[in-house]
Amino acid sequence: MDKKHPLPLSCQSLINCWTQPIRLHSIGMANKPNFSSTYPLLVSFLLSLFFLYSNSKFVVCSTDIKCTDTDRRALVVLREGLTDPSGRLSSWIGEDCCTWEGIKCHNQTGRVTKLDLRNPYHLIGAVDPPAYKRSCLGGKINPSLIRLEYLTSLDLSLNDFEGLEIPGFFGELKNLRYLNLSYASFAGEIPASLGNLSNLQYLDLYADSYSNTGPRELRSQSLEWLTPLSSLKYINLGFVKLDSIGDHWLQTFNMLPSLVHLRLHWCELKGLPLTLPSINFTSLSVLDLSENSFNSLIPPWLFNLT
């Protein structure tokens, strides 16, 4: 166990209870050990230590860990900037933010690791626009969010931010591995600071929307910000306007060795290179280039994506 995260008191007490009955005698002493009584206890003790110190999911010690005051205050400030017509954040009261709706904390440190504010509205069948709008979060996203320095997952999908630009300070959430801003009516230029998220594995910026408050345009004039994101496995830029990036867009994605899913539906792409010097995204299993403006032969490199 990391010294920074000592065992909770209840777990330590449990270990003390297991170890007290065990009495091992030195070999060679006149009083020989009674292995028939100590052996089962010793095995039980060692197995228990193994599960505890390996952070096994099968052993859960009851703890009284609560969220830190820093994280709680950051979330309160974030809530104050958001609009919430349906009261989805009504549980965001009290001292322990780990019990609030959409919040998940580390079970030993109490630091917030997951913020899931995805709209729960059921989008099956016909959408009732007024009901959908009432279920959406909106407003402003306060920079207090960056105080959640251990955040690994952020989901704001299916809300309505009415053309708000994606905040550049999202790039300061260095531990982020999952970022979902799809169907949330963000607009403007994708901030290049997202390229600072070196641990990011999942990125969904799908720019279509269920909102009827007007057209939104999310765009990117360059894809260089993607280059440092070597851990990316999933990226969805559907409906993001990429018409000004030229014919070299594919080479950027080809430099992402971990990429498995690449979705570029309706991005207004025009050029499709017929050749690639080499294929680096060898893990690619899903490639969606539908509804673009290619006037090209099917490129031969496509058949090398085994």
Side-chain angles (χ1 to χ4, degrees):
M1 177 84 54
D2 191 330
K3 292 181 179 179
K4 295 180 181 178
H5 304 297
L7 285 173
L9 180 62
S10 57
C11 296
Q12 191 62 56
S13 301
L14 189 58
I15 291 176
N16 292 339
C17 290
W18 281 330
T19 56
Q20 283 175 2
I22 300 177
R23 297 290 183 269
L24 296 179
H25 303 274
S26 301
I27 297 176
M29 299 292 290
N31 227 352
K32 292 186 178 181
N34 183 1
F35 285 106
S36 62
S37 61
T38 61
Y39 183 77
L41 286 173
L42 179 60
V43 170
S44 175
F45 168 64
L46 292 177
L47 285 174
S48 301
L49 276 185
F50 170 79
F51 283 116
L52 283 171
Y53 277 81
S54 62
N55 290 321
S56 171
K57 295 181 180 179
F58 300 106
V59 176
V60 178
C61 296
S62 60
T63 65
D64 195 27
I65 302 266
K66 294 182 179 179
C67 77
T68 66
D69 190 54
T70 298
D71 288 359
R72 185 186 63 80
R73 284 183 291 168
L75 290 168
V76 169
V77 174
L78 176 67
R79 181 194 62 194
E80 290 172 351
L82 297 173
T83 58
D84 181 20
S86 64
R88 284 166 48 196
L89 305 183
S90 59
S91 68
W92 285 27
I93 56 175
E95 294 299 315
D96 188 8
C97 64
C98 296
T99 64
W100 296 355
E101 183 72 23
I103 307 297
K104 182 178 180 181
C105 298
H106 191 281
N107 62 6
Q108 293 176 352
T109 65
R111 299 305 301 265
V112 173
T113 59
K114 183 177 181 179
L115 181 55
D116 183 1
L117 298 182
R118 179 182 176 91
N119 189 345
Y121 185 86
H122 294 289
L123 293 165
I124 300 176
V127 175
D128 179 356
Y132 170 72
K133 181 62 178 176
R134 285 194 300 272
S135 70
C136 288
L137 298 177
K140 305 296 182 182
I141 302 174
N142 195 284
S144 67
L145 186 67
I146 64 176
R147 297 182 204 159
L148 306 179
E149 54 184 329
Y150 291 94
L151 195 67
T152 62
S153 177
L154 174 60
D155 192 337
L156 299 175
S157 59
L158 293 170
N159 290 293
D160 187 4
F161 288 96
E162 300 184 345
L164 183 73
E165 292 189 356
I166 296 174
F169 59 77
F170 279 7
E172 298 182 43
L173 298 168
K174 298 296 180 64
N175 287 310
L176 215 57
R177 294 197 295 267
Y178 179 98
L179 178 60
N180 190 345
L181 306 179
S182 63
Y183 288 100
S185 297
F186 286 102
E189 184 75 11
I190 296 174
S193 60
L194 294 187
N196 297 328
L197 303 176
S198 57
N199 292 310
L200 201 63
Q201 298 178 12
Y202 184 104
L203 176 63
D204 194 342
L205 302 181
Y206 193 80
D208 198 8
S209 173
Y210 290 102
S211 171
N212 62 358
T213 55
R216 311 292 178 205
E217 183 180 283
L218 188 63
R219 61 185 179 274
S220 186
Q221 297 184 15
S222 170
L223 294 176
E224 291 302 314
W225 56 274
L226 280 168
T227 305
L229 305 183
S230 58
S231 298
L232 264 184
K233 296 181 179 179
Y234 179 101
I235 181 167
N236 189 345
L237 298 182
F239 280 91
V240 175
K241 192 173 182 180
L242 302 177
D243 62 323
S244 62
I245 63 174
D247 296 338
H248 304 293
W249 59 270
L250 185 64
Q251 191 59 33
T252 301
F253 293 107
N254 190 36
M255 295 173 63
L256 303 175
S258 303
L259 200 59
V260 178
H261 291 256
L262 175 57
R263 300 183 182 274
L264 301 173
H265 171 75
W266 208 307
C267 291
E268 300 187 22
L269 293 168
K270 293 181 173 64
L272 183 62
L274 290 178
T275 60
L276 275 177
S278 61
I279 294 179
N280 297 320
F281 47 18
T282 54
S283 298
L284 197 67
S285 65
V286 174
L287 176 62
D288 183 358
L289 299 176
S290 58
E291 300 290 349
N292 285 290
S293 303
F294 301 131
N295 184 16
S296 168
L297 299 173
I298 296 178
W301 54 263
L302 190 64
F303 302 103
N304 293 326
L305 300 176
T306 55

